Amino acid sequence: MVRRVCIVGGGMSKWGVREASLWDLVQEAGKECFEDVPGLKPKDVDGLIFANATAGRRGFQINSAPICAERLGIKPKSICARVDVLCASGSTGILLAYGLIASGMADIIMVVGAEKCYTPQKWEIFYSELATGDHDWDCVHGLGLPPPFFAMVAKEHMKHYGTTKEQLAWVSVINYNYGAENPKAQFQKKLTLEEALNAPEVVPPLTLYDCCPITDGAAAVILACEEKAKDLMDRPLVYIRGGAQASLHACSANWPGEHFADWPHLKVAAQRAYEIAKVGPEDIDVAQTHDCFSISQIIEVEELGFCKKGEGGPFIESGQTKIGGKIPINTDGGLLSVGHPFGGTGIRQAIEIMKQLQGRARFQVEGAEIGLTHNLSGLNFEHTIVIYGREPVK
Amino acid sequence: MVRRVCIVGGGMSKWGVREASLWDLVQEAGKECFEDVPGLKPKDVDGLIFANATAGRRGFQINSAPICAERLGIKPKSICARVDVLCASGSTGILLAYGLIASGMADIIMVVGAEKCYTPQKWEIFYSELATGDHDWDCVHGLGLPPPFFAMVAKEHMKHYGTTKEQLAWVSVINYNYGAENPKAQFQKKLTLEEALNAPEVVPPLTLYDCCPITDGAAAVILACEEKAKDLMDRPLVYIRGGAQASLHACSANWPGEHFADWPHLKVAAQRAYEIAKVGPEDIDVAQTHDCFSISQIIEVEELGFCKKGEGGPFIESGQTKIGGKIPINTDGGLLSVGHPFGGTGIRQAIEIMKQLQGRARFQVEGAEIGLTHNLSGLNFEHTIVIYGREPVK
């Protein structure tokens, strides 16, 4: 029988510009994760998946999964792997761990996501970013760093759907206001519309607050088969109902949509994840979507089916992603406010959705039964979705 | 129900020092893999796992899985991930793909392993190798490159068990003689005991032929659920019966055994893999073990249970790993002769075992029913085992 898989607990380091090594951050997150599941000892964890994209370049460390395990006192016997899908590494790690537990190859896996993005040599920060696009076909032609790419996306969305700079700013204002109360967030500040609109431009039309920051941070979650999950805690069980990851291109010249603001690969991933999880967008009570830029979240609410195509701007401006709105999103602050240490982000998203479904979130969506995380990577290469529920798929 | 998973077909590029990019190699392997499963079109492949360790450092390319998919014409909708467990990345990718297919999250996954190890700047070859140990605790103290580490392993084995330089040389002589007939091998030459013994020393007691070379290469396999596998080909079905990956340490000061020639982490992985696959070492008809150095294979035949601890040297010297011996090993030439492009090696091993169980290997073990692959990574951080069979686990 395919086993049911639960997310049991999680923990995070403080996120931000940290005077700490990658392993310091991992240990900070791991400690909080173990504290969140007091019944669990490191020796009970039989697998470790480490989500990290850049330690090979920035930290001069490949084959990092066994090191991560050692630093956490874990001795894996089912799996000990590092996964890199850049910004989506974390949720990819969760999908891979799901398969191993569901199929009976593992019982309890810790999925750790971490990134040391802020390096003392500041040029290396940007140098490394240039390793994130398609090096042969995009980067050599100057399309490498994400901000210019997402600025083009924003311009296309404005052109085709009339989206405004105010609507972009609203994404940041709403997400920052959630993050202001989150002690782990890189920015714990409330943001006004005026501040957002008057901020310096990074790449027009994107201002400083339309872009997520450069972040050091780590996060960790425990996944377990249903039987073990019941043993480990008394909190309500939260099941992984399903998920999917889709890619239709890599080089931007092969963009799969009509234009850069049309994201069919997200639609493909969402459709498959909804099918596997046996739910539709109308069933999702709370979501985390990948707001690496404010424009991303606008397009994501469309392609995920929370509103009609092209209406993401008005949807967010009218408060539909706030608590009490149609679908509360990024209720911990999202990438814009909490930050974006690549491998860590998907894990942070999972923790927030788990807490929402367990009824212990900071900004609680009352009675949330079904939650979704969405993660994308690089210059919009692929989309990763995981759907969680208080009830398993039947 | 947990679904049965089959390995359906595979292909390789020519391995060696290649004037070709990482993606050239991937396309060469992918083409042969698709030709090996004529019923399969790229559009039928719903997932891609890319096993690669060093493209971030050497090729300036992270988030490489979507690029790999694009170059092969594959549009993944279940998974599109890159995995790095250095030298064991390939078989780790197979374990992860197994979980997704067995649990019903994916139907057909291509697992591609590739590495461009030989860079024009020769210093970068060694520089990158230094990213493979535990950077903070081993590399800073000078323990980084694999040859000195495995030389210490060999010295310990000689000290504790009386292993001789001749026995080390026999590993290479036997494996080279298999590889001499393999058109994909980096070295297609027959090696005599005299040549091996009189070769230049790399790190005493290891000579040139005791060490695997620096290799560019790629390999790809198709894994599918049983139902799809039956549709795709008329060859005998080969099932993944089980597998495991174990790590007990990373920093060499935390070595988990009595001495460097005692590998308890391999024993842990083997025991778990045998349990899941419901077989014992005596049931294995043909194996691939990770002969990155001749001494590795000597210890592996011991820890895998093919002979008693300490008797690996005489076991190999007496011909037990040849066709007709107790357990034919590395019948395509192994790492020593075919080469070792990190991510590619586990996939090459899988292809050889698949061909053996399908009855179409170059040096065929007659009637082989059950096969095993063993992969290790870095400075012996972890061990990965996959067990294949003509019959599924019942």
Side-chain angles (χ1 to χ4, degrees), chain A residues 56-57 61-63 70-71 76-78 80 82 84 105 131 133-135 137 245-247 250-251 254 272 377, chain B residues 2 56-57 61-63 70-71 76-78 80 82 84 105 131 133 135 137 245-247 250-251 254 272 377:
Chain A
R57 275 217 68 78
Q61 186 67 68
I62 55 178
N63 197 16
E70 185 187 67
R71 298 295 195 274
K77 57 186 179 179
S78 59
C80 183
R82 170 201 169 209
D84 153 41
M105 291 278 274
D134 181 329
H135 199 252
W137 292 98
Q245 183 168 48
S247 176
C251 165
N254 292 334
R272 189 174 167 100
S377 81
Chain B
V2 174
R57 276 217 66 80
Q61 186 68 68
I62 56 178
N63 197 16
E70 186 187 66
R71 299 295 196 274
K77 57 186 180 180
S78 60
C80 183
R82 170 201 168 208
D84 153 39
M105 292 278 273
H135 200 250
W137 292 99
Q245 182 167 50
S247 176
C251 165
N254 293 333
R272 189 174 166 99
S377 81

Side-chain angles (χ1 to χ4, degrees), chain B residues 323-344:
Chain B
I323 304 270
K326 196 176 167 202
I327 170 82
I329 291 180
N330 295 335
T331 44
D332 61 347
L335 287 78
L336 286 167
S337 157
V338 191
H340 181 31
F342 307 143

